Amino acid sequence: MPEPIFQPLPDKPDHPALEREMLAQWGAEGTFAKLREQNRGGPSFSFMDGPITANGPAGVHHGLGRTLKDVFQRYKASRGHELRYQNGFDSQGLHVEVQVEKALGFNSKHEIEEYGLARFARDCRDFVAKFAGIQTVQSKRLGMWMDWGNDYFTFSDTNIEYIWRFLKAVQEKGWLYKGHNATQWCPRCGTSLSKHEQAGEENYEEIEHPSLFVRFPLRGREGQSLVIWTTTPWTLPANVAAAVKPDAEYGRNDVGEWVAVARYPEEHFEEKVRGEDLVGLEYEGPFDYFAAQEGVVHRVIPWDEVSLEEGTGIVHIAPGAGAEDFELSRVYDLPVLTPIDEAGRMLPGYGELQDKTTEEVVDPVIESLRDRHLLVEATSIVHRYPVCWRCRTPLVFRVVDDWFISAAEIRQPMLDGNATVEWTPPQYKKRMDDWLRNMGDWNISRRRFFGLPLPFYECECGRLNVIGSRAELEERAVFGLDQLEELHRPWIDGVRIRCEDCGAEVERVSEVGDAWLDAGIVHFSTLGWKNPEWIPGGYATGASRGLSGADLPDHAYWEKWFPADWVSEGRAQIRLWFYSQCFMAIALDGREPYGRVLTYENVVDETGREMHKSWGNAIDLDDALERMGADVMRWVYCSQNPAQELRFGYGMAEDVKRRFLTFWNSVKFLVDYANVQGFRPAWRELQPEGELVALDRWLVERTNAFVLAAEADYEAYETVAVMREFEAYVDDLSNWYIRRSRRRFWGDDEAALRTLWYAVVQALRVLAPILPFVTDRLWRSLVLDGPESVHLAGWPKVGEPDHVLLDEIAEVRRVVELGRQARSSSGIKLRQPLRRLVVEGARLDGHLEEVADELRVKAVELGTVEAVELRVKPNLPVLGPKLGRELGAVRAALAAGEFEELPGGRFSVLGRELEPDEVLVERGGREGWAVASGDGVVVALDLGLDDELVLEGEAYELIHGVNSLRKEQGFELTERIILSVPEALRGLVDRHGDWIAREVLATSIDVGEQLEIRKS
Ligand SMILES: [Zn+2]
Ligand SMILES: [Zn+2]
């Protein structure tokens, strides 16, 4: 036998091993560099990477996002596009700080201050460097092709400077302000949190809190009191008012307690009044003996929002400890008492409660109220309560000064911008609109350390100085420049500038910025917006020095690459990154920063549960890569609808491997027979021509149809559709073309080999973006003189396929499928030949023989299937509610056969029409027939057997048995054998010996003791 032309394939792929080999080969050959070189100067496709937070190893949910980014970059590259491939790391802000604190064992800001801000900043940088390195290794292993080493890090000085530019621009527009604001506050992180950070469902937990009913004695009304309800005892010492619903009815019971009547419908009231009649009454506060309460006059105020769904209908108001309370304080000019500090501990002025946390004050508050006969009842309640998105600590409200950017003027331009964006899946566009319509002003300040330093310098003269660049800082600095290692705290805090109005020396405010500023600016900072000159290595400044070699391009480059053609992140980013990048781009340039978005839901386990380490169902990305392989993971991700939660697990991986094996086996079949026949294809003659039989022509057309369908799916950013097309294609390839052509491969039929080679090679090119490893491995086995890698082969160019031919074969396959169904319902073995099949409702011109052969029947007839007995029953869950009492009559009419079948699966009965989903249809064969139907086609299989058919069935059984033996005993595909059969089969051999010998490659058949084969 000649040297094999194609590298033989194992029976099944070892995905992880194969992938490691391919990674090594890509590295050695510089495949990615060659691809970039090949596409240089091609039409640009601008993808902007949303930065991954470098605060831990990547998880399987990151695997999803990274896969999708890689798939579409690879697809666009296969179309000849030039891409940037810049990866981004999100590298400062709360997500990094909290992890570093954990690593250091800290649990408060105070500990960081003692440790030293410079050391802490260095630790944060090292921490980011470590995980950026780990994430890079993981991403490469997943097959992600990026310009690794030239990543952007959001903590670079360049990135910071670009945000400064943005902040200066919004100040010039008059949008920047400092607000005295009630804000959600994390006592552990010691900072306020913005609405967009906290908005997700996941940022709520079921938490048990105290539930207190408390009396507020009314002044001047002896023996009467208001009763209020609260779940936050720590806010009672800051109470200043009680709110009633003005148009609701309130009643006083026999012990003098006022509550809303609607809340206590069973109660007997001595007196009833409207809420507005209580407004203006004064009462004794629950903690008037605290110094903080000195001079506060407590009174009843009206508030339309008072709920009559919970509590007593009278709401205790503490403007320093609640958002709505704070709003009311503005309307009614109420004093604002702020009871807790940054760490959530009671401030001086609150007596024995001072320094206690909001939890620690619960018992003393209850005791004090009870001692003074103000407590009605103290129990507990479990309710949904917001927790810190970063550290899961329950939040409190504080009134503080924060920096805001007003959303008022930009809201409409952002909505207009979103109207130009194409979203996949499309329904997310409306989610973005909803967010934009409802977004509040952007709270950009955080009271933290390792984040974007806000370049705000407030002067006593009233001037707010905003620095827009490092150059401006240097120009206006009074001192501190010499120690400015980078633009982070503590170094930036050592620089003082001169006030541009009064010339006084001013220091920076202590706050840092929201991390979404960092990620939102990258369309400007990484592309060199308004940068006059290209600076090699110029992006990698400050903390990112040494971590990245990225250039700072010039403005012409920005013009070329902005706006991005495409971005892709998870759905939660609608209120985070998608929002912040739009906000910043529209503020700076007036344009939307991206044209298309692909977004997706979260990853859950294969049973649909969220993954949690503590539940034991979490999967490490590294484990998945090693146990499943990257291609299998990518298949799992890409074959699901991104608008639903995406499932992921080892069971699904096994299923994918099994499905992929059909394709692998087809390729292996080609390789094995091509090697036997010495078939050597030429890349320049890819398209099969010449001696093609009808089936070959069909496969060429079918392949071209697959290429075009997949192209449309990729263009629509729908991997799930690509995978669906691929599976249907593989079914046609394997279960029709190869099945129907098998014999031709045994002979020397080059047309069959060439056609199959064409099909497989084109399929590999289509699939390469999704399964980059195994496709390239197979490519290298099959393509001997073409591009060295499938990734350098480009997208296949094919003509419009012959749809008439495709429809024709699709119909043939449908009939065959129905024939199989009929056979399996009859219980007769597939190998047993039958007399005839009657087909109704399908055109099978020229394919009768194929159908007969496939279904092993002697004849196929087109005609009316008389054998059908149609049984129609009501689908009760659907039809029952619709018909009500009429159901009985309809059911009886259906049972009696008093109905008419209408086109499209509908039925007419008793003058009404029933839809396909309202009925259950069974088609039974008459005695001796098996029937199946679907899509308007009905087939009936004659089940009658005679001696001749039975004998033929036995011959097929024997052929099957011998071929199994050949495999078991390791005979080569073309090796000849001598066959011995037992005496009982003598008659069979006499009748069908030649045929059997041909099928099992026997040179002779003799009758002996038992069934055996040996070398001829
Ligand atoms: Zn927190
Ligand atoms: Zn000044």
Side-chain angles (χ1 to χ4, degrees):
M1 189 179 281
E3 261 308 279
I5 291 167
F6 299 116
Q7 193 186 340
L9 296 176
D11 284 342
K12 58 181 183 187
D14 175 349
H15 288 280
L18 174 158
E19 289 165 7
R20 281 190 295 268
E21 271 170 40
M22 288 315 307
L23 284 171
Q25 202 156 0
W26 291 341
E29 294 176 4
T31 312
F32 179 46
K34 285 177 185 168
L35 175 66
R36 296 192 71 182
E37 191 50 46
Q38 191 169 299
N39 287 342
R40 198 172 304 281
S44 62
F45 177 75
S46 181
F47 164 68
M48 179 55 76
D49 186 35
I52 179 171
T53 306
N55 69 345
V60 291
H61 54 292
H62 296 113
L64 165 63
R66 314 223 111 205
T67 293
L68 293 174
K69 290 173 181 181
D70 189 58
V71 165
F72 290 103
Q73 290 192 95
R74 283 179 185 270
Y75 169 71
K76 289 293 177 181
S78 81
R79 307 302 307 260
H81 286 278
E82 183 177 13
L83 285 91
R84 294 181 59 245
Y85 296 107
Q86 189 177 34
N87 175 76
F89 289 113
D90 205 9
S91 48
Q92 63 184 8
L94 204 52
H95 357 31
V96 172
E97 284 193 54
V98 169
Q99 296 305 319
V100 174
E101 275 183 80
K102 269 190 197 160
L104 290 168
F106 294 169
N107 212 13
S108 74
K109 285 165 70 173
H110 182 62
E111 286 166 287
I112 299 173
E113 276 157 356
E114 273 188 355
Y115 183 72
L117 260 51
R119 265 171 91 192
F120 186 69
R122 285 286 165 258
D123 287 356
C124 286
R125 183 203 183 268
D126 293 348
F127 183 84
V128 165
K130 174 181 162 190
F131 286 108
I134 289 172
Q135 292 176 348
T136 300
V137 171
Q138 293 178 304
S139 303
K140 288 179 178 171
R141 177 64 190 83
L142 187 64
M144 196 182 191
W145 270 355
M146 287 299 237
D147 188 9
W148 303 112
N150 289 320
D151 320 82
Y152 71 78
F153 287 78
T154 57
F155 62 23
S156 85
D157 278 2
T158 305
N159 213 60
I160 290 171
E161 270 195 80
Y162 268 93
I163 300 166
W164 285 7
R165 271 188 177 182
F166 163 78
L167 294 172
K168 184 148 185 129
V170 296
Q171 187 213 17
E172 283 163 2
K173 289 175 191 287
W175 298 353
L176 182 70
Y177 69 94
K178 186 159 91 170
H180 194 58
N181 186 46
T183 173
Q184 293 190 96
W185 186 275
C186 174
R188 200 216 66 87
C189 295
T191 186
S192 50
L193 299 163
S194 72
K195 288 203 178 86
H196 62 253
E197 285 171 318
Q198 282 298 137
E201 260 312 289
E202 67 280 11
N203 296 324
Y204 284 83
E205 281 178 11
E206 295 283 318
I207 294 181
E208 182 169 356
H209 275 138
S211 166
L212 267 53
F213 289 83
V214 182
R215 256 179 233 114
F216 290 174
L218 287 166
R219 287 187 194 274
R221 292 200 177 193
E222 194 66 25
Q224 295 187 19
S225 57
L226 307 171
V227 179
I228 65 92
W229 174 67
T230 183
T231 58
T232 49
W234 63 273
T235 62
L236 285 171
N239 172 273
V240 300
V244 293
K245 195 176 178 71
D247 57 359
E249 194 180 23
Y250 288 82
R252 175 172 57 81
N253 63 17
D254 53 5
V255 291
E257 293 169 349
W258 285 93
V259 291
V261 172
R263 296 294 302 146
Y264 299 88
E266 308 294 315
E267 182 98 34
H268 169 74
F269 292 104
E270 307 272 321
E271 180 187 358
K272 289 183 187 173
V273 299
R274 280 165 63 84
E276 60 198 1
D277 298 327
L278 298 174
V279 169
L281 292 177
E282 292 180 7
Y283 63 89
E284 288 168 27
F287 286 93
D288 283 350
Y289 63 92
F290 286 156
Q293 284 281 355
E294 215 179 297
V296 173
V297 177
H298 301 83
R299 58 192 166 97
V300 179
I301 59 167
W303 187 27
D304 287 328
E305 303 301 313
V306 169
S307 167
L308 296 178
E309 304 296 317
E310 59 179 19
T312 63
I314 305 178
V315 177
H316 129 73
I317 302 294
E324 290 160 324
D325 309 47
F326 182 72
E327 290 305 316
L328 287 170
S329 78
R330 295 190 160 174
V331 178
Y332 296 104
D333 195 22
L334 305 174
V336 178
L337 306 186
T338 307
I340 52 172
D341 67 8
E342 285 199 342
R345 290 176 182 275
M346 298 296 280
L347 287 163
Y350 294 89
E352 71 274 11
L353 303 180
Q354 184 179 335
D355 292 335
K356 288 191 164 58
T357 67
T358 53
E359 279 115 66
E360 287 163 358
V361 303
V362 173
D363 288 340
V365 162
I366 289 174
E367 265 168 51
S368 169
L369 293 171
R370 187 177 285 132
D371 288 351
R372 291 177 290 124
H373 308 291
L374 298 179
L375 187 68
V376 181
E377 185 185 80
T379 56
S380 66
I381 181 176
V382 175
H383 57 173
R384 268 176 89 253
Y385 193 83
V387 296
C388 174
W389 66 275
R390 198 53 259 168
C391 75
R392 317 306 293 168
T393 303
L395 300 182
V396 293
F397 270 91
R398 284 191 78 215
V399 172
V400 290
D401 285 343
D402 269 321
W403 292 94
F404 289 86
I405 302 174
S406 164
E409 282 181 39
I410 203 170
R411 188 186 316 278
Q412 193 54 47
M414 286 178 79
L415 282 163
D416 296 344
N418 193 44
T420 68
V421 176
E422 274 192 74
W423 286 78
T424 310
Q427 59 268 39
Y428 291 91
K429 181 173 190 150
K430 190 180 166 298
R431 298 259 195 116
M432 183 73 183
D433 277 343
D434 289 345
W435 170 257
L436 294 175
R437 277 198 198 95
N438 294 309
M439 69 179 173
D441 292 350
W442 187 356
N443 177 345
I444 57 165
S445 52
R446 303 288 179 275
R447 285 149 210 269
R448 297 291 308 184
F449 308 104
F450 191 68
L452 162 86
L454 292 176
F456 303 158
Y457 295 77
E458 285 184 293
C459 180
E460 287 186 346
C461 77
R463 173 81 194 182
L464 171 62
N465 299 271
V466 177
I467 296 293
S469 68
R470 189 187 179 107
E472 189 182 346
L473 180 76
E474 286 173 2
E475 192 186 302
R476 293 177 57 185
V478 183
F479 66 81
L481 285 177
D482 48 329
Q483 55 81 53
L484 187 63
E485 291 181 28
E486 61 187 54
L487 299 180
H488 280 114
R489 300 184 71 186
W491 304 286
I492 186 70
D493 296 343
V495 180
R496 298 273 168 90
I497 67 157
R498 202 166 290 293
C499 173
E500 58 189 330
D501 276 1
C502 73
E505 206 176 287
V506 205
E507 63 178 348
R508 197 185 72 85
V509 302
S510 63
E511 287 92 339
V512 297
D514 177 6
W516 299 103
L517 289 165
D518 304 334
I521 199 66
V522 298
H523 291 275
F524 298 87
S525 60
T526 66
L527 301 177
W529 181 63
K530 292 197 174 169
N531 184 41
E533 220 167 285
W534 192 294
I535 307 171
Y539 178 85
T541 50
S544 75
R545 206 172 278 129
L547 293 179
S548 168
D551 295 347
L552 179 60
D554 57 15
H555 189 74
Y557 185 85
W558 181 83
E559 292 274 1
K560 175 176 177 186
W561 293 98
F562 181 89
D565 293 305
W566 184 62
V567 293
S568 177
E569 298 294 333
R571 187 249 304 155
Q573 298 299 332
I574 285 175
R575 59 187 164 81
L576 301 169
W577 188 55
F578 292 138
Y579 151 79
S580 76
Q581 57 181 318
C582 284
F583 198 114
M584 296 175 95
I586 287 181
L588 288 176
D589 180 63
R591 277 189 289 168
E592 194 74 6
Y594 46 76
R596 277 198 87 127
V597 182
L598 170 62
T599 188
Y600 44 85
E601 291 293 324
N602 294 330
V603 175
V604 294
D605 77 8
E606 51 195 346
T607 67
R609 285 203 315 162
E610 275 178 49
M611 289 194 194
H612 284 294
K613 282 227 164 65
S614 56
W615 296 355
N617 66 345
I619 297 179
D620 276 349
L621 183 68
D622 292 340
D623 281 354
L625 284 165
E626 275 328 290
R627 282 176 58 189
M628 300 179 187
D631 280 333
V632 173
M633 293 175 69
R634 292 167 70 116
W635 177 315
V636 171
Y637 293 135
C638 288
S639 58
Q640 299 184 63
N641 177 356
Q644 290 162 5
E645 284 182 327
L646 285 100
R647 297 183 177 208
F648 188 86
Y650 289 109
M652 296 171 78
E654 287 310 310
D655 181 47
V656 160
K657 283 184 198 169
R658 215 166 25 247
R659 275 146 60 193
F660 182 69
L661 209 52
T662 309
F663 182 66
W664 177 272
N665 286 339
S666 301
V667 182
K668 182 172 164 49
F669 179 86
L670 168 64
V671 166
D672 290 347
Y673 282 98
N675 281 339
V676 170
Q677 310 295 352
F679 169 66
R680 180 182 288 277
W683 174 248
R684 64 182 183 287
E685 292 164 8
L686 175 61
Q687 182 83 20
E689 277 159 15
E691 306 277 302
L692 300 186
V693 304
L695 197 58
D696 297 338
R697 281 203 310 279
W698 169 76
L699 183 61
V700 171
E701 299 300 321
R702 179 68 185 85
T703 303
N704 295 350
F706 168 53
V707 170
L708 292 180
E711 186 175 315
D713 298 336
Y714 275 120
E715 292 293 336
Y717 294 89
E718 289 178 3
T719 57
V720 56
V722 176
M723 295 313 291
R724 209 162 40 222
E725 291 290 344
F726 173 66
E727 295 207 53
Y729 175 70
V730 170
D731 184 54
D732 274 341
L733 178 73
S734 168
N735 294 326
W736 192 251
Y737 181 78
I738 293 180
R739 256 183 79 82
R740 298 294 314 146
S741 312
R742 208 169 275 274
R743 257 155 233 281
R744 297 170 61 207
F745 292 97
W746 299 349
D748 191 11
D749 189 336
E750 191 173 315
L753 287 165
R754 280 200 53 181
T755 307
L756 182 55
W757 183 73
Y758 172 78
V760 166
V761 163
Q762 297 294 56
L764 289 175
R765 295 162 90 185
V766 170
L767 217 55
I770 293 177
L771 309 179
F773 295 98
V774 74
T775 53
D776 207 19
R777 166 71 182 80
L778 293 174
W779 179 271
R780 288 158 187 266
S781 290
L782 288 176
V783 179
L784 307 170
D785 64 342
E788 69 183 26
S789 162
V790 69
H791 304 296
L792 300 175
W795 186 257
K797 288 184 189 61
V798 298
E800 193 57 35
D802 177 348
H803 290 289
V804 175
L805 176 59
L806 292 174
D807 289 349
E808 193 179 310
I809 303 297
E811 187 134 301
V812 171
R813 288 213 65 192
R814 193 150 51 234
V815 168
V816 168
E817 203 36 59
L818 288 172
R820 291 216 178 93
Q821 270 179 36
R823 207 180 240 278
S824 81
S825 72
S826 74
I828 292 185
K829 271 190 185 172
L830 263 176
R831 268 181 222 110
Q832 174 61 57
L834 293 171
R835 193 55 68 196
R836 65 184 166 136
L837 176 80
V838 182
V839 178
E840 183 183 334
R843 290 178 306 112
L844 292 175
D845 317 332
H847 297 285
L848 295 178
E849 244 171 78
E850 268 170 298
V851 173
D853 188 43
E854 273 298 304
L855 293 173
R856 203 156 282 174
V857 293
K858 295 290 172 191
V860 174
E861 297 163 13
L862 299 178
T864 314
V865 175
E866 290 171 13
V868 171
E869 182 188 303
L870 186 60
R871 280 190 292 271
V872 183
K873 295 179 191 163
N875 185 8
L876 293 176
V878 181
L879 210 51
K882 183 175 162 184
L883 294 185
R885 274 186 301 176
E886 264 186 86
L887 180 67
V890 168
R891 187 209 299 255
L894 289 174
E898 293 160 3
F899 58 83
E900 193 187 334
E901 190 172 6
L902 303 173
R906 291 174 310 126
F907 290 88
S908 162
V909 59
L910 296 182
R912 61 164 65 238
E913 285 184 12
L914 304 182
E915 296 299 316
D917 66 323
E918 295 171 344
V919 288
L920 303 172
V921 181
E922 285 172 24
R923 290 181 196 271
R926 273 205 218 127
E927 192 64 30
W929 290 81
V931 177
S933 70
D935 289 341
V937 179
V938 190
V939 304
L941 200 52
D942 180 351
L943 302 177
L945 291 178
D946 53 34
D947 291 350
E948 197 193 329
L949 288 173
V950 171
L951 199 63
E952 259 185 60
E954 284 167 10
Y956 279 116
E957 281 298 326
L958 178 60
I959 291 166
H960 176 73
V962 174
N963 281 333
S964 302
L965 269 182
R966 287 183 58 110
K967 253 186 218 154
E968 275 166 35
Q969 298 181 15
F971 281 87
E972 295 290 334
L973 289 172
T974 54
E975 214 167 338
R976 307 279 141 169
I977 56 166
I978 294 169
L979 171 63
S980 297
V981 300
E983 178 61 34
L985 295 184
R986 181 185 291 278
L988 180 62
V989 171
D990 285 349
R991 175 78 175 79
H992 290 303
D994 288 352
W995 166 36
I996 293 167
R998 225 170 28 241
E999 293 292 322
V1000 302
L1001 303 185
T1003 51
S1004 68
I1005 305 180
D1006 54 46
V1007 176
E1009 294 286 300
Q1010 55 180 21
L1011 185 67
E1012 60 182 7
I1013 60 175
R1014 56 189 186 279
K1015 254 182 152 44
S1016 169

